[in-house]
Amino acid sequence: MGSFGNLILNENMKIFRRPRTWIMLAILALISLLMPVLLREGMGTDGVSFWQAAVTTIQIVFFLNTIFCVVIAAEAVAGEFTWGTIKLLLIRPWSRSKILASKYLTVIIFSILSTLLVIVMATGMSYMLFSHDTLDAQPGSSSSATNSLALWGYLYVDLFITLAIAFMVSSVFRSGALAIGLSLFIMFSQSIFSLIFNPVRYEWAKYVLFNNMDLSKYMTSGADFALMGGPSAGMTLGFSIAVLAVYYVIFMVISWVVFSKRDVAG
């Protein structure tokens, strides 16, 4: 366990010793602090709780957070091949499975830290600038702390699956650019594919990855929920989580099998 801990420490050092990493975190922190200020100027403070401001800020900044995390995930394995350091890593007394696991866990640790940074900064600034009165918040409102935390959890699940895709592509194709490009394509085309392959129209579409990544739709109710593939399509929160779990296992198995069998002698 000690050697595996050293592996994770080594991978974290690779990430955090680069100025680029700190620049990305600084950008996330800065935007998370500035967005509530801009919202206050544009919306005022009347009838706006700090939870509403925090939710809006985090939803906006989370796109950038996902991009930065994808960059880290894409270069976790592909970068070793690009820089030619993969041979030096593999001659160490560690199995390939441990090496890949340490890289993946480091990516997850970074994503958790960056997400917490965004949440803490945005919520803290919103708390200072907006109303603390949430007595009038209706159930399901973004003003509710419970619903806000649930929404942020769903956002992270989306990020988590996107990172799994980026990590898999990085491991299989050894291309950071391809991993970043494909992950961004999935991010920005997710809603489009969900409309094209609507579970209401096609029964099989409820098993499509794109239709299950956005778990925040289960916080919606009524006709909008049905259009997005709700109960009428046989989809529930538990169903989507199960589908995502299956895809996640597939992505991880592919990553481990390809990395473990790859010949790096050339």
Side-chain angles (χ1 to χ4, degrees), residues 23-71:
I23 292 174
M24 290 190 296
L25 292 175
I27 291 174
L28 289 176
L30 181 61
I31 297 178
S32 297
L33 292 173
L34 287 179
M35 279 303 302
V37 177
L38 297 177
L39 290 175
R40 178 186 172 94
E41 293 298 319
M43 301 167 54
T45 59
D46 293 338
V48 180
S49 76
F50 76 91
W51 284 115
Q52 288 175 306
V55 165
T56 302
T57 298
I58 292 170
Q59 283 181 305
I60 294 173
V61 181
F62 219 82
F63 281 102
L64 192 59
N65 180 41
T66 302
I67 292 173
F68 288 163
C69 290
V70 162
V71 170

Side-chain angles (χ1 to χ4, degrees):
M1 183 63 186
S3 62
F4 185 68
N6 291 333
L7 263 176
I8 296 179
L9 179 61
N10 181 57
E11 292 300 325
N12 274 288
M13 289 175 60
K14 289 180 183 179
I15 293 177
F16 287 99
R17 73 184 177 187
R18 299 173 189 164
R20 179 189 63 185
T21 301
W22 294 102
I23 292 174
M24 290 190 296
L25 292 175
I27 291 174
L28 289 176
L30 181 61
I31 297 178
S32 297
L33 292 173
L34 287 179
M35 279 303 302
V37 177
L38 297 177
L39 290 175
R40 178 186 172 94
E41 293 298 319
M43 301 167 54
T45 59
D46 293 338
V48 180
S49 76
F50 76 91
W51 284 115
Q52 288 175 306
V55 165
T56 302
T57 298
I58 292 170
Q59 283 181 305
I60 294 173
V61 181
F62 219 82
F63 281 102
L64 192 59
N65 180 41
T66 302
I67 292 173
F68 288 163
C69 290
V70 162
V71 170
I72 298 296
E75 293 192 352
V77 178
E80 299 285 358
F81 288 95
T82 301
W83 303 320
T85 55
I86 186 65
K87 294 180 183 178
L88 297 176
L89 191 60
L90 293 180
I91 62 175
R92 303 285 182 87
W94 299 313
S95 67
R96 291 195 179 194
S97 294
K98 282 188 175 182
I99 291 173
L100 195 63
S102 67
K103 288 182 174 297
Y104 181 68
L105 287 177
T106 302
V107 169
I108 296 302
I109 290 172
F110 179 84
S111 71
I112 293 174
L113 289 176
S114 65
T115 298
L116 290 176
L117 175 68
V118 170
I119 291 175
V120 170
M121 292 294 183
T123 305
M125 181 59 76
S126 298
Y127 186 85
M128 290 188 290
L129 297 179
F130 290 89
S131 169
H132 302 164
D133 183 13
T134 58
L135 296 178
D136 296 331
Q138 298 297 319
S141 168
S142 60
S143 298
S144 165
T146 301
N147 285 279
S148 299
L149 293 174
L151 176 60
W152 298 339
Y154 294 153
L155 288 175
Y156 184 78
V157 170
D158 196 333
L159 167 61
F160 186 79
I161 297 300
T162 304
L163 288 181
I165 296 172
F167 190 81
M168 178 192 66
V169 175
S170 174
S171 302
V172 173
F173 297 102
R174 296 183 292 182
S175 172
L178 178 61
I180 294 172
L182 182 60
S183 299
L184 294 183
F185 173 76
I186 291 174
M187 278 178 57
F188 293 109
S189 63
Q190 192 179 128
S191 58
I192 297 176
F193 279 102
S194 294
L195 288 175
I196 296 175
F197 303 109
N198 194 320
V200 176
R201 296 170 56 193
Y202 308 106
E203 174 68 19
W204 53 265
K206 65 182 182 181
Y207 299 104
V208 174
L209 176 64
F210 302 104
N211 289 325
N212 293 280
M213 289 180 69
D214 181 16
L215 298 180
S216 63
K217 66 184 179 182
Y218 294 107
M219 300 178 70
T220 314
S221 59
D224 291 338
F225 183 34
L227 289 174
M228 296 165 68
S232 61
M235 297 178 69
T236 63
L237 177 60
F239 174 84
S240 289
I241 292 176
V243 171
L244 291 178
V246 172
Y247 276 104
Y248 175 76
V249 170
I250 293 173
F251 296 151
M252 291 296 101
V253 169
I254 292 174
S255 300
W256 254 260
V257 169
V258 172
F259 186 78
S260 297
K261 296 183 178 298
R262 166 159 285 138
D263 181 12
V264 297

